[in-house]
């Protein structure tokens, strides 16, 4: 099963929780055991599994990446002025592949699936969800 | 085939080698070609492929992450005092998906599969192993 | 379907674009929907999805990792003098799993698949491509 979901990203740097949308697709697929691949199409965004208790960790992710990858000092800035966004996206990576267990995402209590926007705001980010079934 | 393995983590920050346990599951599955997904359930731990010749690289991983993500300066610390552990886990990521070739993990000589503990010690970390078969 | 492709890496630190080679394998497989896992065998190299418009982002990736992970200060350097290469490879990771959509790699316009060499030059790096089919 393969389907594309879409989200908008309201800030330049922000994490957007995709978990509920993906859980819904998983339930509709009626597949019980396998893998769920979450892949974002875009070279300035990524997918990260992270805690969702409140927004503190999400804010800390933005703060950390601003510190590790400062804006405005990259060769690519001569073109698009978003060199830092590409580098952050490269470290985070565009995908996570998550086990599907008894018909549910195999996340632990505090793991949620986030899109990391590093070059927003954007009206539309496309995320491809692919579910692979395997015998239990 | 899907199965959960468990390990304990004896230190606050430590890498634990999972390779032999996963190789055993792979052999028992009798699947020869496909993918092996290794996913750790927990928002302060990750999965990293790394050299296993001795403990030097494992120690260096701990040192590097302490330097890149200092403890005690994060918004999330007001809750759990483990903001750095969440951020390290977010960078490393909770999973790796490894090819299964001729019935064996497709690792190179110096690649082993490690759990990275960033908020231990813990009695139990659950790692979900999912094997997907494909025609050769 | 599973196949190994090989590339050489002409510099100590360099990104090598694998996209065209992988696209060719995907086309030959005649599989239309599923996942394509790209896995590099080697503990001082990784796989990163990154922009390919020109070489600026590739150069910036090398610059960033030299800054985040300085050479010559690691415990592992006593053995191989390449502790930094192992750490960079650990952060980037050896694999990406990409959706296969309508017989093509599900990359966006500016996403290409790169091997990141951190301990070259090397005559041969082996990359395992595994394609898994799923019903649409």
């Amino acid at each position: 099963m393969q389907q594309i979901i879409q989200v908008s990203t309201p800030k330049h740097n922000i994490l957007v929780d995709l978990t509920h949308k993906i859980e819904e697709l998983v339930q509709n697929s009626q597949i019980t055991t396998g893998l769920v691949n979450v892949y974002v199409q875009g070279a300035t965004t990524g997918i990260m599994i992270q805690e969702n208790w409140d927004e503190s960790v999400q804010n800390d992710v933005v703060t950390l990446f601003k510190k590790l990858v400062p804006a405005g000092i990259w060769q690519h800035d001569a073109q698009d002025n978003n060199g830092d966004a590409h580098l952050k996206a490269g470290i985070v990576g565009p995908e996570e592949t998550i086990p599907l267990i008894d018909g549910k995402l195999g996340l632990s209590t505090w793991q949620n699936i986030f899109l990391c926007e590093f070059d927003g705001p954007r009206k539309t980010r496309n995320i491809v969800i692919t579910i692979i079934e395997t015998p239990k």
Side-chain angles (χ1 to χ4, degrees), chain A:
Chain A
M1 202 282 290
Q2 192 172 69
Q3 209 163 320
I4 293 179
I5 62 175
Q6 297 186 319
V7 296
S8 62
T9 58
K11 291 188 184 176
H12 190 52
N13 283 267
I14 189 170
L15 274 66
V16 177
D17 196 338
L18 306 174
T19 316
H20 292 305
K21 284 175 189 268
I22 298 170
E23 269 174 350
E24 205 180 311
L25 282 188
V26 164
Q27 281 194 328
N28 290 342
S29 78
Q30 299 190 309
I31 299 172
T32 56
T33 309
L35 292 176
V36 180
N37 176 264
V38 179
Y39 184 94
V40 63
Q41 294 179 317
T44 53
T45 174
I47 299 293
M48 184 185 285
I49 308 291
Q50 196 49 274
E51 189 180 282
N52 68 321
W53 170 256
D54 65 6
E55 291 192 354
S56 63
V57 180
Q58 300 168 47
N59 294 338
D60 288 338
V61 168
V62 171
T63 303
L64 172 66
F65 276 95
K66 281 188 180 169
K67 188 183 151 201
L68 292 179
V69 189
I73 61 169
W74 306 103
Q75 193 178 321
H76 187 69
D77 291 333
Q79 288 177 35
D80 292 337
N81 206 30
N82 66 353
D84 62 312
H86 285 289
L87 295 168
K88 293 168 183 174
I91 291 178
V92 172
E95 62 98 2
E96 296 291 345
T97 304
I98 301 152
L100 175 56
I101 308 174
D102 295 332
K104 293 184 181 173
L105 288 167
L107 304 167
S108 65
T109 311
W110 303 116
Q111 286 181 322
N112 270 30
I113 307 166
F114 288 94
L115 180 143
C116 300
E117 175 63 77
F118 296 121
D119 195 25
R122 301 278 180 123
K123 278 192 187 161
T124 310
R125 288 290 195 182
N126 292 319
I127 304 109
V128 186
I129 312 297
T130 306
I131 307 181
I132 305 281
E133 190 170 16
T134 187
K136 195 172 181 176

